Amino acid sequence: MTTSTDTVDGRMRQLADQLRADGAITSDAVHRAIATTPRHRCVTWFLQGGARVEVPQDDVPPADVLDVIYSDSPLPTVRAHGDQPSSGGSQTSLVARMLEALDLRPGMRVLEIGAGTGYNAALIHAVTGAEVVTVEAGDEAAAGAAAAIERLGLADQVQVLHRDGYAPGVDGPFDRIVATVGIAGVPPGWLELLSPGGMILAPVAHGGYHPAMAITPDGVVRPRIWCDFMPAVGPLRPESLFAGLHQVETVFPTAPEGRIPAVIEPLSEAGYEDLWFYFGAKDRRTTRAFVEHPLLDPHRGLLALVDSPAEAVWVQRDGAVVYTRPGSLVAEVHRLLGSWAAATPRLVGWGALLTAAQVPDPLLVPGAWEFGFR
């Protein structure tokens, strides 16, 4: 007997239903887009566990391949090599949450920075029914996204451009600009492309991650989703802003020597994200740091304050503090934890104004963060 989930249409509906049940989808428009847009038509292959998995286009792909495609799994398609950045499709739950945060409406014109597989641009068009322009820096990814848009029959509605997203060279205005790569800040030119009531949604570097932040034409930036994306290349994410031990996901060179249990109450995943944003807002030494050692369980979180190659302090989701050596950095972490616990500010309550970064290509980055920003 064939069930509804044995068909591609059934799988698309099941994915949309599951994302709604999990809270990633909150609107009928995004549910309908995911339930009707064939993700398997956007990739001819993807990487799984280091192996290449083929996705046939002339026939329906095998069930085990469809199981992966129509799940909450990323679909990496391009490994970074030479001047080619990594690329692929994000987790479907993150795709859905980003679409909801964009607050799309019919007729809105959208510019996407980072085409990936083309799936997100197709979903945006499904919600708005209007033109989507998507820009991709990598030539392999750009060609793949353009081919996917052709297979979906959307070439007259979705334009794929192979160029650097820092200066996309397109004509505005756009009601929404969305970036699907991790960036350090916003080029001033993006703000100039916005319509008066428009919004940019972009994953901007903060504390070793790239939370998605909403940016309005007046330069106000507010975090919306705790998430991470593959870092952009070129002037959107200049290496000079990520030097030394404060890059994303630092591999730390010094083993910890102590662990203090239950400094604060154990945290939920959302609570830990709120705490991480708070640390990033209060101390620029905040990053994501990994070291292989029994005292540090990476599954309990890698939020760290890093002061030097010899000194770091981690706060884990179970409330424990792990340190490389006792001293002032441990005391500072205790102070931050105390002030956070007294107010428990949520990620979505923060705000800042964009300020100019000292980099060769003009870039606007969040300034001093303020909780309860008006």
Side-chain angles (χ1 to χ4, degrees):
M1 177 180 177
T2 300
T3 66
S4 62
T5 56
D6 290 331
T7 67
V8 170
D9 287 348
R11 287 175 185 272
M12 289 191 291
R13 287 194 301 272
Q14 184 184 48
L15 174 60
D17 290 346
Q18 186 61 57
L19 292 173
R20 172 168 265 173
D22 293 341
I25 290 177
T26 58
S27 68
D28 290 342
V30 172
H31 182 276
R32 183 167 53 253
I34 289 177
T36 57
T37 303
R39 194 185 190 204
H40 71 282
R41 296 290 280 162
C42 295
V43 289
T44 57
W45 61 275
F46 60 88
L47 297 169
Q48 184 179 37
R52 177 173 169 133
V53 178
E54 300 292 335
V55 183
Q57 297 296 313
D58 294 333
D59 299 300
V60 176
D64 59 338
V65 174
L66 292 174
D67 287 343
V68 177
I69 293 173
Y70 291 103
S71 70
D72 192 19
S73 297
L75 296 178
T77 56
V78 179
R79 293 188 181 96
H81 62 279
D83 60 354
Q84 294 298 308
S86 299
S87 186
S90 301
Q91 285 181 270
T92 50
S93 58
L94 179 53
V95 170
R97 291 168 70 201
M98 291 282 284
L99 289 173
E100 295 289 6
L102 278 169
D103 191 26
L104 298 169
R105 297 288 184 270
M108 281 187 169
R109 189 167 183 246
V110 179
L111 170 64
E112 180 188 40
I113 309 297
T117 65
Y119 180 61
N120 194 58
L123 291 171
I124 292 170
H125 172 70
V127 175
T128 65
E131 177 193 22
V132 180
V133 179
T134 182
V135 176
E136 175 59 52
D139 54 15
E140 290 183 38
I149 294 301
E150 285 279 357
R151 288 193 295 270
L152 292 171
L154 296 176
D156 59 338
Q157 297 291 327
V158 178
Q159 185 180 11
V160 181
L161 302 175
H162 174 215
R163 57 188 64 169
D164 192 301
Y166 176 85
V170 295
D171 294 326
F174 290 94
D175 301 295
R176 296 288 185 268
I177 298 174
V178 58
T180 57
V181 290
I183 63 177
V186 175
W190 288 12
L191 291 173
E192 295 169 5
L193 287 171
L194 276 181
S195 63
M199 179 184 72
I200 297 168
L201 185 68
V204 180
H206 180 92
Y209 269 83
H210 293 97
M213 302 189 186
I215 301 154
T216 45
D218 57 1
V220 174
V221 53
R222 302 178 191 274
R224 286 291 176 258
I225 303 169
W226 185 260
C227 59
D228 204 23
F229 280 81
M230 290 179 284
V233 296
L236 283 174
R237 198 177 178 282
E239 287 301 316
S240 60
L241 295 182
F242 300 91
L245 293 165
H246 299 96
Q247 302 175 49
V248 170
E249 197 152 18
T250 298
V251 178
F252 197 70
T254 305
E257 69 172 50
R259 184 175 188 272
I260 308 170
V263 174
I264 57 172
E265 293 293 318
L267 296 170
S268 66
E269 183 176 351
Y272 193 61
E273 292 165 356
D274 292 340
L275 174 67
W276 202 315
F277 195 93
Y278 175 83
F279 265 63
K282 294 294 183 178
D283 198 311
R284 291 186 178 275
R285 295 173 294 181
T286 303
T287 190
R288 174 174 30 166
F290 170 78
V291 61
E292 190 169 349
H293 193 276
L295 287 176
L296 188 72
D297 180 356
H299 299 293
R300 294 176 180 171
L302 295 172
L303 164 60
L305 245 58
V306 175
D307 195 57
S308 73
E311 189 168 12
V313 179
W314 289 264
V315 180
Q316 300 214 277
R317 194 176 290 113
D318 61 358
V321 167
V322 178
Y323 58 87
T324 55
R325 62 188 185 192
S328 60
L329 195 62
V330 175
E332 177 61 15
V333 167
H334 274 266
R335 187 192 70 78
L336 286 170
L337 287 173
S339 60
W340 179 82
T344 58
R346 295 195 60 212
L347 174 149
V348 294
W350 292 90
L353 287 173
L354 292 176
T355 62
Q358 298 301 309
V359 289
D361 298 290
L363 206 62
L364 302 173
V365 300
W369 286 102
E370 178 184 334
F371 189 71
F373 186 89
R374 300 297 180 191

